């Protein structure tokens, strides 16, 4: 892991090339069940193509100056469905339909039996990442609370039992990923803000079970949703579930802050956690200047010491044009170097 102040990373995803995925189809939703139709290549050639695209993503991050890289989540149809649909006890062939508060109908997996991870899911992904970069490598997993909220429970009949079952599966996966060379492991838990009352009862317990025994740095990420899917005008100005994450065993808490113009005074409630601060507005189609990003970093330093601040985009970059994503990452890394020099 980098030892200098203000290290840079990504939340997880990087844009998949247009030759690999049907971006028009992908842009319609964040799939909970499988979306095989989004891949442009036949199964016989898909893994090789995903490998090639993963190397491109890694090299883009390295060229931009990112300190802690990921595999770009290139092999995933969404941040959560790759793991969630690979578990025993999940019926993805006959999905249920969940209707959101806004009336949007979304197909989701049905939980029809005991959830169990019978085999590694992202192990090869981590091994491939480790072989193809000498930089610190982070891999992301969907959090147990979020997965429990993105499925229809027809087996457990109890919210806590369901979340804890997912936590067991996530923990087994995380242990394998650590052994495969992960320098950091991140859990994506955006749904804690969708159902904060339930999250206050069970989320911290489930997160801590998912991270049990993991010795590398761990991160919990929460956001208001992909900028391409959730417009900035609909995002709240604050989190309904944030200070509670101080009770998790995670070393770092990752938050979206640039697009919603978050009041960073809330960070005082997360001491002594490290903060992975979103300093790139992914709802802005323009590449921010180094000066703009530098000012966002300085604003973060008003509330968090430089030894506790990690810099990142607000959220995953999956839905962005690739050239824009690269430009934003480069601006962030140059801004980090500028502010770092001011501190020395």
């Amino acid at each position: 892991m980098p030892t200098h102040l203000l290290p840079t990373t990504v939340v997880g995803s990087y844009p998949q090339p247009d030759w690999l995925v049907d971006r028009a189809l992908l842009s319609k939703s964040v799939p909970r069940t499988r979306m095989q139709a989004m891949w442009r290549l036949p199964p016989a050639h898909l893994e090789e193509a995903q490998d090639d695209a993963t190397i491109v993503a890694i090299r883009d991050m390295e060229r931009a100056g990112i300190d802690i890289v990921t595999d770009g989540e290139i092999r995933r149809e969404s941040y959560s469905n790759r793991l969630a649909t690979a578990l025993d006890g999940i019926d993805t062939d006959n999905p249920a339909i969940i209707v959101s508060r806004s009336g949007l109908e979304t197909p989701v997996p049905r939980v029809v039996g005991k959830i169990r991870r019978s085999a590694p899911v992202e192990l090869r992904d981590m091994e491939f990442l480790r072989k193809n970069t000498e930089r610190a490598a982070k891999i992301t997993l969907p959090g147990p609370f979020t997965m429990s909220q993105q499925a229809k429970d027809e087996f457990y009949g109890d919210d806590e039992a369901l979340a804890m079952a997912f936590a067991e599966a996530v923990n087994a996966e995380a242990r394998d990923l650590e052994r495969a060379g992960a320098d950091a492991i991140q859990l994506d838990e955006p749904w804690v803000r969708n159902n904060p009352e339930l999250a206050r009862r069970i989320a911290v317990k489930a997160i801590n079970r998912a991270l049990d025994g993991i010795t590398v740095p761990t991160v919990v990420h929460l956001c208001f949703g992909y900028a391409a899917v959730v417009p900035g005008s609909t995002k709240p100005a604050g989190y309904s579930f944030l200070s509670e994450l101080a009770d998790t065993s995670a070393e770092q808490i990752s938050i979206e802050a640039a697009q919603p113009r978050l009041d960073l005074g809330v960070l005082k409630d997360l001491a002594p956690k490290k903060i992975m601060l979103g300093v790139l507005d992914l709802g802005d189609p323009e590449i921010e200047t180094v000066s703009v990003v530098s000012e966002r970093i300085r604003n973060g330093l008003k509330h968090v010491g430089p030894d506790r601040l990690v810099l990142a985009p607000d959220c995953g970059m999956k839905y962005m044009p690739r050239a824009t994503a690269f430009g934003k990452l480069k601006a962030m890394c140059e801004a980090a170097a500028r502010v770092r020099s001011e501190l020395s």
Side-chain angles (χ1 to χ4, degrees):
M1 296 290 282
T3 56
H4 55 258
L5 295 176
L6 306 179
T8 57
T9 188
V10 292
V11 171
S13 61
Y14 193 71
Q16 294 150 309
D18 288 338
W19 53 259
L20 181 65
V21 300
D22 182 338
R23 188 164 293 278
L25 180 61
L26 177 65
S27 68
K28 295 178 180 178
S29 67
V30 182
R32 312 302 182 205
T33 54
R34 299 312 302 264
M35 188 186 279
Q36 302 286 4
M38 67 171 260
W39 302 106
R40 292 191 183 275
L41 286 92
H45 303 297
L46 183 57
E47 184 174 79
E48 182 180 14
Q50 290 171 335
D51 285 351
D52 291 347
T54 298
I55 290 174
V56 171
I58 295 169
R59 295 294 173 264
D60 268 9
M61 289 181 234
E62 291 175 339
R63 288 192 305 118
I66 295 295
D67 297 309
I68 306 165
V69 303
T70 72
D71 68 345
E73 301 181 5
I74 297 299
R75 297 176 180 84
R76 305 188 199 185
E77 295 153 7
S78 78
Y79 72 95
S80 60
N81 77 340
R82 181 168 168 82
L83 179 64
T85 59
L87 302 176
D88 294 348
I90 300 293
D91 183 351
T92 57
D93 295 327
N94 304 288
I97 300 295
I98 288 181
V99 181
S100 70
R101 294 175 184 174
S102 61
L104 179 66
E105 294 187 351
T106 303
V108 297
R110 293 165 55 240
V111 180
V112 296
K114 184 176 181 180
I115 292 170
R116 190 170 67 90
R117 191 199 73 136
S118 56
V121 181
E122 297 179 19
L123 179 60
R124 183 181 179 276
D125 304 4
M126 185 62 238
E127 292 172 340
F128 189 86
L129 172 60
R130 186 69 285 163
K131 289 176 183 177
N132 284 284
T133 187
E134 294 182 357
R135 300 197 184 185
K138 177 176 73 173
I139 195 159
T140 64
L141 293 168
F145 182 82
T146 290
M147 282 199 290
S148 74
Q149 298 296 289
Q150 293 180 352
K152 176 69 171 176
D153 178 23
E154 298 178 6
F155 179 77
Y156 288 93
D158 179 83
D159 291 324
E160 182 173 340
L162 178 64
M164 294 306 291
F166 276 118
E168 295 275 350
V170 172
N171 183 251
E173 183 77 0
R175 287 172 180 256
D176 275 349
L177 298 177
E178 180 177 351
R179 285 189 287 267
D183 296 303
I185 294 174
Q186 176 180 308
L187 299 185
D188 293 331
E189 281 285 17
W191 279 63
V192 293
R193 68 167 191 86
N194 287 3
N195 194 344
E197 294 81 11
L198 181 61
R200 289 187 184 97
R201 284 204 296 115
I202 65 176
V204 169
K205 181 178 180 181
I207 290 168
N208 287 344
R209 177 65 190 92
L211 298 177
D212 182 49
I214 303 301
T215 61
V216 297
T218 52
V219 188
V220 173
H221 168 71
L222 64 163
C223 64
F224 301 111
Y226 290 108
V229 180
V230 184
S233 60
T234 67
K235 294 187 177 184
Y239 284 98
S240 54
F241 187 94
L242 181 62
S243 62
E244 293 87 349
L245 294 174
D247 292 329
T248 67
S249 58
E251 176 190 273
Q252 301 176 27
I253 307 300
S254 164
I255 60 169
E256 175 183 356
Q259 185 182 25
R261 309 294 189 266
L262 188 72
D263 179 359
L264 298 184
V266 298
L267 299 182
K268 68 180 184 300
D269 296 329
L270 292 172
K273 302 290 189 187
K274 288 187 176 182
I275 302 300
M276 199 172 112
L277 184 67
V279 295
L280 293 177
D281 179 350
L282 304 189
D284 184 351
E286 301 299 320
I287 296 171
E288 291 100 325
T289 66
V290 173
S291 295
V292 165
V293 182
S294 297
E295 191 56 34
R296 290 174 184 162
I297 297 170
R298 295 186 193 103
N299 192 31
L301 289 170
K302 295 175 184 177
H303 306 276
V304 180
D307 58 327
R308 289 177 49 219
L309 199 61
V310 179
L311 307 176
D314 267 356
C315 189
M317 307 184 91
K318 183 183 187 78
Y319 292 87
M320 301 196 73
R322 209 162 82 199
T324 304
F326 176 80
K328 284 176 176 282
L329 290 184
K330 193 170 186 297
M332 180 178 73
C333 293
E334 291 177 3
R338 177 182 293 184
V339 178
R340 197 180 296 127
S341 68
E342 296 170 359
L343 296 172
S344 60

